[in-house]
Amino acid sequence: MTEVADSYLEDINNDVCPICKTDKYLNSNMKFLINPECYHKICDSCVDRIFSSGPTKCPYQGCEKILRKNKFKSQIFEDISIEKEIDIRNSIVKIFNKTEKDFKTLEEFNAYLEKIEEIIYNILNGVQVKETNEYIANYKQENSKSIHQNNINIQRQHDIFLKIENKKKLINDEKQKLSKQLIRELQNDKKIANQQITNNLLNSSLDTNLIVENARKNLLKQSSARRKKYIEQTKLLQEKFMSQEDLEMMNYSNPGLPGFRKHRLMQQQATMMSPFSPFNGDRSVNLPFEVEEEYFDPYTSNVIKDAQYLAGGIRVEQIYKKSLFEAFFGLDCIIKEEKSA
Amino acid sequence: MSDIAANYTKEKKVGEGTYAVVYLGKQVKTKKLIAVKEIKTGMFKDGLDMSAIREVKYLLELRHENIISLLDVYSSENGNLNLVLEFLPCDLEVLIKDKNIVFQQADVKSWMLMILRGVHHCHRNYILHRDLKPNNLLISPTGEIKIADFGLARSLGSPGENLTANVVTIWYRAPELLFGSRHYTSSVDVWSVGIIFAELMLRTPYLPGTSDAEQLEVTFRALGTPTEKNWPNVSKLPWYNSLKIYPPPTRNELKNRFIAASGSALDLMISLTQLDPAKRCSCEEALQTVYFTEFPRPTKPKDLPKKSS
């Protein structure tokens, strides 16, 4: 591993093939490929040239790995160590592919995940490689049936997911088309209405305000009808594209919670049952007075009409409430009791 | 020295402001940690500073688990006024700035709940705080929020009385104050709470203006310029003049700004930050919104994130 990292660091000029020294600057079509055996970077024409006649040694000096042409791939991550880890992870997860549902408790499931990480770390860093490989082989043998079944399930769920996503996209496209159409229609209606108003104003003897008012009402009616139709149409889309089967599959791809999660959620809900009080049980609901709508108070009722007061958010009923509150303030306090407490 | 002074020790100076020095100390009898705020006298020719009087006047009256408690007041031998307050080691600003802490939705909810409960208690007693900001929201060792610094507090004005518009730290100042209104209500505090809510979600000040004029600009760019249409009589306010008109933000724009906010969180924020104070919700209404009752439940104070040391 350190070898790989070193050679990667040496090769600071990323655009030159270390084998044939071709520069990407001169040949913009050039692609770099790597092989998951040793992760050495080689340009595609070198790969063609060296490995066409069958598997052979990696052209890097000191690298004794035998490489095959069909294992070469283009690099996804810039950091080669991440590329390597992802490759290892993918291959391990295909074997250790149990899901939450296969475990009874969260602890067991977490232990399983921890074990996977440990294996990946070991392989990546060359720790206890022999033991780890043996462990993987054993596991594979013992669980061959379930591994196969799980992989099939995963693939199937993925397919369903893709299919449903596609349909959702279709529905969205249609919706967009409909909404564009709606906007067009509404604009059109407006244009026609305006024209009508002008015509009526020219020809009819009715009152101008009345004409405008009528036209406006008609337009409003028309547009609300169009909107209603639009909403109905969008509703129909769902039924049109999503068959009953699809909806069921959507449920299938999102199966119920595994046992222990359900259990935990129920516990959570049980604690939720204890009542929540936003005021922490401390809210003055029953005031010892009722605020009436009007009082004889010429001063206040005059002042309160001032724009300065209105703009500041002051309202007359609040003033009355405050006055009453202050009148009753402290009447329910018994100082002796408060002092002793 | 008065008898009360003997009940408390001053051990370490922890801070100094323009009008007070704060000491860390203990209550002799119980060994409980306390803070003593010694008000400097003599530097004002009319006796005590106004804010000290306000602080004592209102804190003595208010008793609530989300408001800092004033345990005692005494005068020391040099004639200075001493306020014995409960000891609160942290404040919300410190937490917001601490990038090592991740805020969960339930945490923000819990803080909002405590802030609103405290402010509600002030408002139902007709007291305006007028300087709500994260820096003045202290946090007890058990995680509870305590509203502090009542140096600008006053009781709600009566008709005919003029209030000063020059209150609240500028970033948290409500639009009616920015327009110089002399007659306002508890809704100025509600605005501050709304801006604090936004800050808790963004982890950075929501409307950071550098001057009065720029604050107007920043506020209205984010929330739309008020007009006679959405805020009747606004144009009569003293400092309302030819403003640049920004359209109010659509719900979608707000949603993009506050990505983590749930629908009801956004609803609450919108009603806390209504431009027209008459349309802004009260603390009582805010506490009754779905936001507080829906899932997730507010975090218990003791489980809230703490300052990473």
Side-chain angles (χ1 to χ4, degrees):
Chain A
M1 180 57 214
T2 51
E3 203 178 289
V4 173
D6 286 347
S7 64
Y8 177 71
L9 280 178
E10 265 167 39
D11 189 7
I12 284 170
N13 190 349
N14 275 328
D15 291 340
V16 177
C17 171
I19 309 303
C20 60
K21 309 291 183 206
T22 313
D23 198 318
K24 192 156 187 170
Y25 181 72
L26 300 171
N27 180 5
S28 56
N29 289 333
M30 194 168 88
K31 267 195 313 194
F32 286 109
L33 300 173
I34 50 164
N35 192 308
E37 279 295 327
C38 62
Y39 290 95
H40 285 137
K41 191 174 80 174
I42 306 168
C43 81
D44 54 340
S45 70
C46 283
V47 170
D48 274 340
R49 184 167 51 78
I50 300 170
F51 300 98
S52 308
S53 49
T56 180
K57 262 200 324 200
C58 172
Y60 271 63
Q61 217 167 15
C63 182
E64 301 286 327
K65 290 268 168 32
I66 304 291
L67 310 179
R68 284 165 194 279
K69 191 181 169 191
N70 63 355
K71 287 280 161 70
F72 275 95
K73 55 171 199 164
S74 52
Q75 191 174 336
I76 296 169
F77 297 95
E78 198 184 337
D79 187 341
I80 206 85
S81 60
I82 291 177
E83 181 84 32
K84 191 171 175 189
E85 185 183 334
I86 299 290
D87 285 340
I88 295 171
R89 192 172 286 277
N90 279 339
S91 65
I92 294 295
V93 168
K94 267 195 190 122
I95 300 167
F96 292 83
N97 59 4
K98 284 189 186 170
T99 56
E100 266 185 84
K101 275 185 291 178
D102 300 321
F103 297 88
K104 281 196 191 68
T105 67
L106 181 62
E107 284 68 35
E108 282 174 46
F109 179 54
N110 280 341
Y112 183 74
L113 292 178
E114 183 66 36
K115 185 76 201 166
I116 294 177
E117 290 306 314
E118 195 188 314
I119 292 169
I120 292 169
Y121 179 87
N122 283 351
I123 296 178
L124 189 63
N125 295 296
V127 183
Q128 297 174 319
V129 178
K130 210 176 132 210
E131 287 93 329
T132 311
N133 279 334
E134 266 169 26
Y135 180 85
I136 296 173
N138 273 339
Y139 180 90
K140 210 169 169 178
Q141 210 168 20
E142 279 168 24
N143 298 291
S144 63
K145 217 171 175 182
S146 80
I147 289 172
H148 184 64
Q149 192 54 48
N150 281 343
N151 275 336
I152 290 176
N153 281 346
I154 289 168
Q155 186 57 42
R156 194 186 300 161
Q157 278 181 17
H158 187 68
D159 289 346
I160 292 170
F161 172 76
L162 285 184
K163 194 171 150 198
I164 289 172
E165 282 303 298
N166 267 334
K167 292 205 171 176
K168 276 186 189 160
K169 197 168 165 272
L170 267 177
I171 292 178
N172 258 340
D173 286 350
E174 288 291 319
K175 240 188 207 164
Q176 217 140 49
K177 258 188 225 160
L178 282 176
S179 80
K180 266 186 196 150
Q181 194 190 344
L182 175 72
I183 292 168
R184 259 202 315 275
E185 283 171 350
L186 289 178
Q187 277 169 347
N188 212 10
D189 287 350
K190 214 172 179 179
K191 232 186 252 164
I192 293 172
N194 276 339
Q195 202 134 44
Q196 238 161 19
I197 292 176
T198 343
N199 282 344
N200 284 345
L201 284 175
L202 277 177
N203 305 327
S204 146
S205 56
L206 280 168
D207 179 49
T208 18
N209 283 334
L210 201 66
I211 293 173
V212 175
E213 188 59 25
N214 278 343
R216 217 173 53 89
K217 269 187 196 153
N218 274 340
L219 189 64
L220 225 76
K221 230 185 256 168
Q222 232 172 353
S223 71
S224 75
R226 288 216 193 271
R227 274 175 224 275
K228 223 183 226 167
K229 195 177 144 208
Y230 166 75
I231 292 168
E232 270 162 25
Q233 278 175 327
T234 48
K235 268 186 197 152
L236 279 178
L237 280 177
Q238 174 100 9
E239 285 163 31
K240 188 173 152 199
F241 284 99
M242 294 275 194
S243 62
Q244 195 57 38
E245 194 189 1
D246 288 332
L247 290 174
E248 270 166 30
M249 284 215 264
M250 225 147 89
N251 289 334
Y252 174 77
S253 66
N254 183 15
L257 292 165
F260 63 85
R261 272 236 188 137
K262 213 182 240 163
H263 182 66
R264 207 170 41 187
L265 200 72
M266 268 156 65
Q267 262 182 344
Q268 221 168 33
Q269 275 163 348
T271 58
M272 290 288 285
M273 293 305 173
S274 64
F276 167 78
S277 143
F279 292 84
N280 209 8
D282 177 22
R283 182 178 169 202
S284 3
V285 190
N286 296 320
L287 295 169
F289 54 83
E290 264 173 48
V291 187
E292 276 166 44
E293 262 175 48
E294 238 182 85
Y295 291 92
F296 177 71
D297 184 1
Y299 178 72
T300 306
S301 41
N302 227 351
V303 162
I304 209 69
K305 281 187 204 130
D306 185 358
Q308 295 289 326
Y309 282 77
L310 292 172
I314 297 177
R315 294 291 178 267
V316 73
E317 55 277 11
Q318 291 162 4
I319 294 177
Y320 291 147
K321 190 178 173 193
K322 184 192 164 205
S323 305
L324 284 165
F325 183 85
E326 282 170 346
F328 284 88
F329 204 42
L331 281 189
D332 51 349
C333 277
I334 294 153
I335 295 175
K336 222 185 210 170
E337 278 177 18
E338 291 221 341
K339 276 204 162 163
S340 62
Chain B
M1 207 200 283
S2 61
D3 309 335
I4 307 172
N7 292 338
Y8 305 99
T9 62
K10 286 182 194 170
E11 284 169 15
K12 208 173 93 194
K13 192 166 151 180
V14 284
E16 179 160 6
T18 37
Y19 84 96
V21 187
V22 181
Y23 297 93
L24 181 62
K26 272 193 190 127
Q27 190 170 28
V28 175
K29 234 192 238 162
T30 57
K31 300 263 182 253
K32 239 170 50 183
L33 283 173
I34 46 118
V36 182
K37 193 166 177 179
E38 184 174 343
I39 315 280
K40 295 177 195 166
T41 47
M43 51 186 299
F44 307 97
K45 59 174 189 268
D46 303 326
L48 276 176
D49 183 55
M50 185 73 165
S51 42
I53 298 171
R54 287 189 155 139
E55 186 137 30
V56 177
K57 186 171 161 190
Y58 294 111
L59 276 184
L60 271 178
E61 300 283 333
L62 292 166
R63 282 269 173 279
H64 190 267
E65 60 260 51
N66 298 120
I67 294 174
I68 191 168
S69 46
L70 179 62
L71 304 168
D72 243 329
V73 183
Y74 65 90
S75 75
S76 48
E77 49 196 3
N78 52 8
N80 280 354
L81 185 67
N82 289 262
L83 314 185
V84 183
L85 296 156
E86 64 181 312
F87 171 66
L88 301 164
C90 186
D91 66 60
L92 201 56
E93 191 188 13
V94 171
L95 292 188
I96 291 173
K97 282 190 177 157
D98 190 338
K99 293 294 177 237
N100 294 324
I101 303 175
V102 178
F103 288 1
Q104 309 276 332
Q105 287 212 46
D107 301 340
V108 172
K109 189 178 290 187
S110 176
W111 282 317
M112 281 304 290
L113 185 65
M114 292 189 283
I115 295 169
L116 278 168
R117 277 175 182 165
V119 178
H120 169 244
H121 185 70
C122 296
H123 288 179
R124 71 172 161 182
N125 289 303
Y126 295 97
I127 293 168
L128 314 183
H129 183 280
R130 302 201 299 179
D131 197 14
L132 289 171
K133 55 179 172 181
N135 184 262
N136 280 342
L137 300 170
L138 306 186
I139 294 174
S140 77
T142 47
E144 268 131 359
I145 293 259
K146 307 264 181 179
I147 299 171
D149 197 348
F150 280 68
L152 279 173
R154 68 157 290 153
S155 62
L156 185 71
S158 303
E161 212 176 348
N162 280 342
L163 282 65
T164 165
N166 193 17
V167 288
V168 190
T169 308
I170 190 165
W171 293 352
Y172 307 94
R173 199 177 288 170
E176 64 266 32
L177 296 175
L178 293 170
F179 286 142
S181 168
R182 311 293 307 272
H183 308 283
Y184 48 83
T185 68
S186 47
S187 46
V188 297
D189 285 341
V190 174
W191 174 276
S192 308
V193 173
I195 304 303
I196 294 167
F197 188 20
E199 186 166 339
L200 282 171
M201 293 194 278
L202 295 171
R203 295 294 293 270
T204 171
Y206 182 37
L207 305 171
T210 48
S211 64
D212 287 21
E214 202 200 308
Q215 188 64 37
L216 281 168
E217 173 85 9
V218 173
T219 305
F220 301 144
R221 208 183 312 139
L223 295 158
T225 309
T227 55
E228 278 293 320
K229 216 170 174 185
N230 56 22
W231 180 353
N233 299 311
V234 64
S235 58
K236 310 273 173 25
L237 287 173
W239 302 333
Y240 184 95
N241 51 23
S242 58
L243 294 158
K244 196 167 171 208
I245 301 288
Y246 292 103
T250 61
R251 203 187 151 81
N252 234 345
E253 278 162 8
L254 286 173
K255 204 164 176 111
N256 289 336
R257 182 102 201 246
F258 300 93
I259 294 170
S262 69
S264 58
L266 213 58
D267 287 341
L268 175 59
M269 207 193 63
I270 290 169
S271 47
L272 290 172
T273 54
Q274 283 293 313
L275 293 165
D276 182 354
K279 292 189 188 121
R280 220 170 289 153
C281 69
S282 66
C283 290
E284 198 167 354
E285 284 158 357
L287 280 167
Q288 292 171 69
T289 52
V290 215
Y291 173 64
F292 291 108
T293 42
E294 76 174 0
F295 194 80
R297 270 205 153 186
T299 317
K300 290 197 185 92
K302 66 174 170 51
D303 301 328
L304 282 167
K306 292 206 171 62
K307 185 170 57 174
S308 62
S309 41

